[in-house]
């Protein structure tokens, strides 16, 4: 796709009324891991009935008081009207992902070309929007990213609705300067490999585009791509992504016994490697606790290309995995560690200096890249701050799903089910801190 010039964001925000300026304009304005997972789901579990639900972990923020319901419905309805364009289908079919041509099978692309997002249910309870998406797994899963990016940008628009032209100029000037200072710090790390993972909680689509362009210019080859498929195609960078907690959560819900539940995370890996190989063989071990995951992992798991550390404290998680690889007789320098949870520049620098040279190292930079406006407009700090908003699969095959995480604050599911899972996976209490993003 042809790259377009970057707009003056302040002018764009100031000179229209947002009635209806679509936030999501393409089905490809999503993270590539959703498409990678969708292809596996479509092949093996397409008709499993599931429910996805919006969950606001930042309880102090009453989203329904900030965002007008009519505006939210209009954006959600617009996304439901989208289909892949001919140009997008050609790009997906012919583009190289992870050095591989035709990563997406022709029959999958043929199905996807007629795909549209299904209906949603929206209600308001105690200042929060309760949004659910029900249906067959292959039909519903792509709702996750657009609903999150829509709400995030609508919050940004609401916060800036009555800001004057000059204050907007200063706001974005400060945000740009703040980001550029981060880029300059990161550029001092000579062997850095970093990607944009910031779609779901971005300040806005245009701001994410600006951030990616800034990293591309400021970091050169150290910037390895973006998780956003549409922006990857638009800006001529790599689409980067692996897999997420959704897969083991559904697999676990379908387990018929505690024994099957304990080993369900490894069944997910078997399914994944029936479709992918190479650098896409990345393990996400924290859905039900990394310690138990490594303890029970079959030996063949160590042959996978690497691990993504999500909810565990980065240094602790990295050291744990290095020792695990060594215990399997594997040189950690051959393996890839990806850090991706709530990364600040300080955390990136700390992990880089700890692990560079010990493993192959990569970072997925999310919310603190695409939605860090703290102190850029002091009077509006609370309204512009990012919140911990997720859209998780909450039911699968008629059962409630659970995610434990290495951080107790990020557990989702009914308490009785969480208690059962913690017993099965022998998870001991840990405190990774409040779920900020």
């Amino acid at each position: 796709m042809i790259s377009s010039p970057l707009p003056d964001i302040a002018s764009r925000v100031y000179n229209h009324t947002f009635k209806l300026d679509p936030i999501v304009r393409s089905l490809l304005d999503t993270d590539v891991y959703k498409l990678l997972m969708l292809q596996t789901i479509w092949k093996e579990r397409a008709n499993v009935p599931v429910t996805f639900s919006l969950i606001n972990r930042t309880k102090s923020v009453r989203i329904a008081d900030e965002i007008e319901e009519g505006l939210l419905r209009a954006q959600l309805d617009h996304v439901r009207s989208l289909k892949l364009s001919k140009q997008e289908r050609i790009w997906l079919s012919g583009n190289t992902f992870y050095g591989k041509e035709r990563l997406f099978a022709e029959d999958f692309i043929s199905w996807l070309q007629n795909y549209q997002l299904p209906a949603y249910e929206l209600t308001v309870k105690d200042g929060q929007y309760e949004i659910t998406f029900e249906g067959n797994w292959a039909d519903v899963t792509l709702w996750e990213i657009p609903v999150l990016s829509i709400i995030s940008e609508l919050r940004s628009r609401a916060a800036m609705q009555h800001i004057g032209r000059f204050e907007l100029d200063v706001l974005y000037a400060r945000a740009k300067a703040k980001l550029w200072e981060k880029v300059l710090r990161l550029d001092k790390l000579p062997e850095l490999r970093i990607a944009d993972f910031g779609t779901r909680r971005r300040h806005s689509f245009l701001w994410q585009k600006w951030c990616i362009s800034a990293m591309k210019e400021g970091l050169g080859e150290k910037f390895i791509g973006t998780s956003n498929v549409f922006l990857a195609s638009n800006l001529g960078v790599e689409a980067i992504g692996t897999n997420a907690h959704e897969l083991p959560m559904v697999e676990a819900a379908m387990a018929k016994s505690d024994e099957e539940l304990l080993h369900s995370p490894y069944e997910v890996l078997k399914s994944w490697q029936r479709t992918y190989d190479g650098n896409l063989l990345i393990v996400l071990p924290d859905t039900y606790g990394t310690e138990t995951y490594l303890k029970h992992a079959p030996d063949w798991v160590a042959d996978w290309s690497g691990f993504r550390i999500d909810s565990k404290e980065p240094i602790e998680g990295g050291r744990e995995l290095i020792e695990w690889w060594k215990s399997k007789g594997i040189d950690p320098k051959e393996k890839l560690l990806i850090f991706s949870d709530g990364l600040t520049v300080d955390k990136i620098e700390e992990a880089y200096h700890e692990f560079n040279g010990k493993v192959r190292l990569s970072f997925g930079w999310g919310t603190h890249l695409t939605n860090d406006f703290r102190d850029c407009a002091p009077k509006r700090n609370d309204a512009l701050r990012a919140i911990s908003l997720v859209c998780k699969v909450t039911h699968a095959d008629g059962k409630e799903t659970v995610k434990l995480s290495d951080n107790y604050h990020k557990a989702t599911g009914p308490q009785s089910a969480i208690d059962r899972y913690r017993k099965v996976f022998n998870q001991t209490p840990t405190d990774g801190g409040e779920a900020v993003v």
Side-chain angles (χ1 to χ4, degrees), residues 257-295:
S257 67
D258 285 355
E259 184 68 17
E260 281 192 17
L261 174 59
L262 180 63
H263 294 284
S264 63
Y266 316 113
E267 293 302 312
V268 172
L269 302 190
K270 293 178 183 178
S271 172
W272 187 259
Q273 67 183 2
R274 284 194 287 269
T275 303
Y276 304 113
D277 57 15
N279 283 336
L280 280 171
L281 296 184
I282 301 298
V283 181
L284 180 62
D286 73 314
T287 310
Y288 303 116
T290 299
E291 183 177 351
T292 298
Y293 188 100
L294 296 178
K295 179 180 178 181

Side-chain angles (χ1 to χ4, degrees), residues 59-341:
K59 304 295 186 183
S60 60
V61 175
R62 296 166 58 91
I63 299 174
D65 293 346
E66 297 182 346
I67 298 172
E68 181 185 330
E69 182 177 336
L71 292 177
L72 176 56
R73 287 186 180 274
Q75 294 289 345
L76 296 175
D77 291 342
H78 172 75
V79 178
R80 291 196 62 214
S81 72
L82 297 175
K83 296 178 70 173
L84 287 185
S85 69
K86 180 179 179 180
Q87 185 180 13
E88 289 171 336
R89 294 196 302 271
I90 293 171
W91 185 83
L92 274 180
S93 298
N95 192 57
T96 298
F97 298 89
Y98 289 88
K100 294 183 177 295
E101 296 181 357
R102 301 190 181 280
L103 185 63
F104 296 106
E106 289 185 13
D107 54 350
F108 172 68
I109 295 292
S110 296
W111 173 82
L112 191 61
Q113 71 181 3
N114 295 313
Y115 174 85
Q116 288 181 277
L117 288 167
Y120 61 89
E121 293 292 331
L122 186 156
T123 58
V124 179
K125 182 178 180 181
D126 192 25
Q128 304 293 346
Y129 284 116
E130 296 188 345
I131 308 177
T132 57
F133 312 96
E134 296 185 6
N136 291 336
W137 195 6
D139 297 328
V140 172
T141 183
L142 288 188
W143 258 121
E144 178 187 359
I145 304 302
V147 70
L148 294 175
S149 58
I150 284 170
I151 291 177
S152 184
E153 183 160 348
L154 285 177
R155 288 190 69 239
S156 298
R157 291 182 179 187
M160 298 186 299
Q161 192 168 11
H162 302 295
I163 294 180
R165 182 65 174 84
F166 290 99
E167 186 178 352
L168 272 176
D169 269 339
V170 172
L171 166 67
Y172 281 108
R174 286 173 172 168
K176 289 177 179 180
K178 184 176 185 180
L179 175 59
W180 192 248
E181 288 301 317
K182 294 179 181 180
V183 170
L184 293 178
R185 280 178 62 182
L186 293 174
D187 193 39
K188 295 178 181 178
L189 307 177
E191 297 180 44
L192 178 70
R193 291 173 55 83
I194 190 167
D196 156 51
F197 276 17
T199 299
R200 65 179 58 214
R201 299 190 187 101
R202 66 193 182 196
H203 169 79
S204 71
F205 170 80
L206 290 178
W207 181 247
Q208 184 183 16
K209 185 176 181 180
W210 193 94
C211 292
I212 294 169
S213 300
M215 292 182 72
K216 183 179 178 182
E217 178 178 319
L219 295 176
E221 292 184 356
K222 298 172 187 175
F223 176 62
I224 59 174
T226 173
S227 62
N228 188 291
V229 185
F230 182 73
L231 287 171
S233 66
N234 186 259
L235 297 174
V237 300
E238 293 290 325
I240 300 292
T242 54
N243 53 71
H245 302 103
E246 173 185 343
L247 296 179
M249 289 173 70
V250 172
E251 189 72 29
M254 299 179 70
K256 295 180 174 59
S257 67
D258 285 355
E259 184 68 17
E260 281 192 17
L261 174 59
L262 180 63
H263 294 284
S264 63
Y266 316 113
E267 293 302 312
V268 172
L269 302 190
K270 293 178 183 178
S271 172
W272 187 259
Q273 67 183 2
R274 284 194 287 269
T275 303
Y276 304 113
D277 57 15
N279 283 336
L280 280 171
L281 296 184
I282 301 298
V283 181
L284 180 62
D286 73 314
T287 310
Y288 303 116
T290 299
E291 183 177 351
T292 298
Y293 188 100
L294 296 178
K295 179 180 178 181
H296 294 280
D299 288 342
W300 56 264
V301 174
D303 295 329
W304 275 42
S305 300
F307 279 69
R308 178 162 73 91
I309 297 176
D310 189 54
S311 57
K312 198 152 200 172
E313 192 278 325
I315 304 300
E316 178 187 357
R319 290 172 176 170
E320 182 179 24
L321 278 165
I322 286 175
E323 291 306 312
W324 183 77
W325 277 316
K326 288 180 178 178
S327 75
K328 300 293 182 180
I330 292 173
D331 183 358
K333 292 181 180 180
E334 300 174 356
K335 298 299 181 178
L336 176 64
L337 273 186
I338 302 174
F339 295 94
S340 63
D341 182 46

